[in-house]
Amino acid sequence: MGPVVMPPGKKAEGPSSGSVARGLSQLYQDTEAADLSLALSASLSRAEDEELTSLSWLHESTDLLTSLGHSGLRSVSPLQDANGSREPSSSPSSSPEPSEPPYHLSTGPSRKPPYSFSCLIFMAIEDAPSKRLPVKDIYGWILEHFPYFASAPTGWKNSVRHNLSLNKCFKKVDKDRSQSIGKGSLWSIDPDYRHNLIQALKKTPYHPYSPRLPKPSTSPSASPQQYHRVPPWQHMHKTGGTVAQSYLSGKIRKKPSPPLWPGSPLFRKNGGVLLQVPQRVIQHGSRVAAQGLFPVIRPLPLSPVSKRTTAVRSALGDYLTRGKNSLRSDSPPPSDDQQEDHTYSSSQSLNTKGDISSSLSSCSTQGSLSAFSPGQEVTHTEVKEEQKDFPLDATPPPSQLLQHRRLLWTKGHLRTPADTLPLKKRRAEKLLVKEEEDEEMKEAAGSLLHLAGMRTSVNKNAQRTCKKEVKEEAND
DNA sequence: GGAAATTTAAACATAC
DNA sequence: GGTATGTTTAAATTTC
């Protein structure tokens, strides 16, 4: 098995929602965002130097996906679900739907998770104490954690089986005749391919170094909309497959790197399990190995609102309880109680006001999150106020960011009427507005990445650079 | 436009 | 015989 395996049964949940609310309030009152920002930055920097051996971020991102997209989302047709956001044939116009809310702000039935079946199966198996599961339990795990499939056509089970059979990452375990599990075999992760799966998961859309995300660049072409205008599920679940799956199968072949394991067997059909992940990505995408695998992934509540609320509560709870003092959490509090061993990796255990604020606001903006009741939870209003009063960006220097954000906010709300400006400036202003919106979305996404222990400063820097160029152009 | 890749559907075989 | 599981093939679609 892989380098780090979470001890069986090491799961737990965060503190109660009440304590979360109190802790959050206290955090807002007592903590300087700048301190947390610096601490977080330091932690993340250290995290980057360590090899990723834990997939805890994936659990966290799963929670965050739940909080943002998988629950309470707008209705999506089966075709759209299956194939991304494909336009119906009746409306060939490729123009974006202006009325379509952002992915994480939309409402309606649950949406397909942005993980390939391979990733889902991998997570399911890795989440099993014995690291092996029968197909039936894999179904169950997926259903439990991704309610989308509860109402999805049953074909997904076929896809699961298809993946198990076709993907060499998965292998059947010789069934012990004395062990009656009914029909079928136990499935496990092939140790030879486990790392491949991990690397592939790191290419999921919520990983800041996803190949889909723009690389840090000063070029305006690295438009922010490339990675947060497009809903994650849109660029992940077009029929062409996911980024993660692409890496699994070697689909991503731009700038190919030498295979990490030359000569490794590939998919039996396509020859494609082997990853070709640039080392840069691996290094920068690494996180602190702290809590082992999937320490915090939890079944989702049934209520769409409560799902989101619970996920946010849970994430916040961990931040507040583990707090900024736990820059490193190499020794998580051991607990056999699955209700208590709710741990996050070290880098994630840090947070800032901005992270929490923007995370909540990302859920609450446009009123899509209304489950935070006053006195018990952080209310929508409270969050929005905090969002405006404090810098949301955790990247230092906070003072500059504060000014930057205030400038953007001011420009966005008190802007001179556009029609009084020259055409060139109008265009620049329009672009600026768009990027401000993108900024807001990205901050929300960035906060989620922070929650998931990801580093987004690079992308933020890229955006700032882009904005700077836009401003310069406008000034010209 | 073609190659490559993934999802989905379907057919079929096997095991319980 | 029914159902679940496992294997294989092919179509559809997207990305590069």
Side-chain angles (χ1 to χ4, degrees):
Chain A
M1 191 52 74
V4 172
V5 177
M6 182 183 70
K10 299 290 184 182
K11 289 185 181 178
E13 292 183 355
S16 66
S17 59
S19 64
V20 170
R22 287 189 294 273
L24 183 59
S25 299
Q26 194 66 34
L27 180 68
Y28 275 110
Q29 293 170 7
D30 296 342
T31 309
E32 289 296 333
D35 295 340
L36 285 176
S37 298
L38 293 171
L40 175 62
S41 178
S43 176
L44 290 173
S45 296
R46 282 197 298 274
E48 284 189 346
D49 296 333
E50 302 187 24
E51 181 184 3
L52 172 67
T53 52
S54 167
L55 293 181
S56 58
W57 66 270
L58 186 58
H59 280 276
E60 297 149 13
S61 65
T62 303
D63 271 354
L64 294 164
L65 285 171
T66 300
S67 68
L68 295 186
H70 291 162
S71 58
L73 300 178
R74 63 176 174 79
S75 177
V76 178
S77 70
L79 184 63
Q80 285 176 309
D81 269 343
N83 301 323
S85 62
R86 210 175 303 148
E87 288 284 336
S89 56
S90 58
S91 58
S93 172
S94 60
S95 61
E97 302 174 12
S99 61
E100 181 175 339
Y103 170 75
H104 63 287
L105 298 178
S106 56
T107 59
S110 59
R111 185 177 295 170
K112 191 174 185 176
Y115 296 115
S116 68
F117 282 111
S118 296
C119 292
L120 292 174
I121 296 168
F122 174 55
M123 287 189 285
I125 295 175
E126 285 292 312
D127 208 30
S130 61
K131 308 299 179 202
R132 55 187 67 181
L133 282 178
V135 172
K136 189 176 181 178
D137 288 351
I138 294 174
Y139 295 158
W141 189 95
I142 293 174
L143 280 171
E144 192 176 28
H145 295 83
F146 297 95
Y148 159 83
F149 292 102
S151 57
T154 56
W156 68 272
K157 292 183 177 180
N158 194 359
S159 296
V160 169
R161 295 196 302 272
H162 170 84
N163 264 273
L164 287 171
S165 294
L166 203 64
N167 195 330
K168 282 196 171 296
C169 296
F170 311 116
K171 67 175 184 179
K172 280 194 292 186
V173 177
D174 293 336
K175 188 164 61 175
D176 183 359
R177 288 292 174 185
S178 64
Q179 191 178 16
S180 177
I181 63 167
K183 298 177 182 177
S185 305
L186 294 172
W187 290 89
S188 64
I189 305 297
D190 190 329
D192 293 338
Y193 295 93
R194 185 175 180 277
H195 190 68
N196 300 39
L197 286 162
I198 293 174
Q199 297 297 335
L201 284 168
K202 289 164 70 175
K203 305 300 171 291
T204 53
Y206 290 91
H207 194 287
Y209 294 93
S210 166
R212 297 292 183 133
L213 302 182
K215 294 178 175 61
S217 168
T218 57
S219 170
S221 62
S223 170
Q225 57 186 292
Q226 282 184 317
Y227 57 95
H228 59 221
R229 270 300 176 195
V230 179
W233 58 273
Q234 200 169 47
H235 63 63
M236 287 303 295
H237 268 279
K238 293 174 181 177
T239 306
T242 66
V243 172
Q245 190 89 11
S246 299
Y247 272 91
L248 275 176
S249 60
K251 176 182 178 182
I252 295 177
R253 50 190 182 275
K254 188 176 183 179
K255 296 181 181 179
S257 301
L260 298 178
W261 301 275
S264 297
L266 307 178
F267 273 166
R268 75 181 66 170
K269 180 179 179 179
N270 299 321
V273 177
L274 193 60
L275 283 168
Q276 296 189 357
V277 183
Q279 192 61 33
R280 171 187 57 80
V281 174
I282 298 174
Q283 291 171 347
H284 287 271
S286 64
R287 292 200 54 215
V288 173
Q291 276 80 36
L293 298 171
F294 309 110
V296 300
I297 199 160
R298 293 177 295 281
L300 303 177
L302 294 178
S303 165
V305 172
S306 62
K307 268 188 282 185
R308 242 180 299 182
T309 305
T310 302
V312 173
R313 284 176 184 169
S314 176
L316 291 175
D318 284 319
Y319 283 90
L320 296 172
T321 54
R322 299 183 68 82
K324 60 180 178 180
N325 294 327
S326 53
L327 291 178
R328 295 288 299 271
S329 49
D330 293 323
S331 56
S335 172
D336 292 331
D337 186 351
Q338 297 189 356
Q339 301 298 316
E340 292 182 356
D341 188 10
H342 181 184
T343 56
Y344 283 85
S345 59
S346 61
S347 57
Q348 194 222 2
S349 62
L350 284 165
N351 200 0
T352 67
K353 293 179 186 179
D355 284 334
I356 298 172
S357 171
S358 57
S359 295
L360 289 175
S361 63
S362 69
C363 297
S364 60
T365 306
Q366 300 182 1
S368 63
L369 179 60
S370 58
F372 292 97
S373 59
Q376 189 174 20
E377 302 289 343
V378 177
T379 64
H380 184 171
T381 304
E382 289 171 346
V383 171
K384 293 196 74 171
E385 290 302 319
E386 290 291 332
Q387 182 183 5
K388 291 179 181 178
D389 291 339
F390 294 92
L392 298 184
D393 198 329
T395 305
S399 59
Q400 294 182 6
L401 290 173
L402 177 61
Q403 290 181 345
H404 178 69
R405 282 198 53 78
R406 283 176 173 164
L407 175 63
L408 291 179
W409 188 88
T410 302
K411 286 194 173 184
H413 293 78
L414 304 176
R415 188 176 295 112
T416 306
D419 53 3
T420 64
L421 299 173
L423 178 61
K424 192 172 182 179
K425 285 198 173 184
R426 261 187 281 167
R427 287 177 179 171
E429 283 285 334
K430 192 173 181 179
L431 183 59
L432 195 59
V433 170
K434 187 177 181 182
E435 293 193 346
E436 287 169 6
E437 294 171 353
D438 290 338
E439 171 82 3
E440 292 175 1
M441 292 183 65
K442 184 181 180 303
E443 285 170 350
S447 297
L448 294 171
L449 292 171
H450 278 286
L451 285 171
M454 301 303 159
R455 182 171 185 177
T456 59
S457 58
V458 175
N459 292 332
K460 289 176 184 292
N461 290 335
Q463 276 210 305
R464 292 191 197 98
T465 304
C466 184
K467 274 187 182 172
K468 185 179 179 181
E469 292 179 1
V470 171
K471 288 180 180 177
E472 290 174 352
E473 181 181 350
N475 293 332
D476 292 337

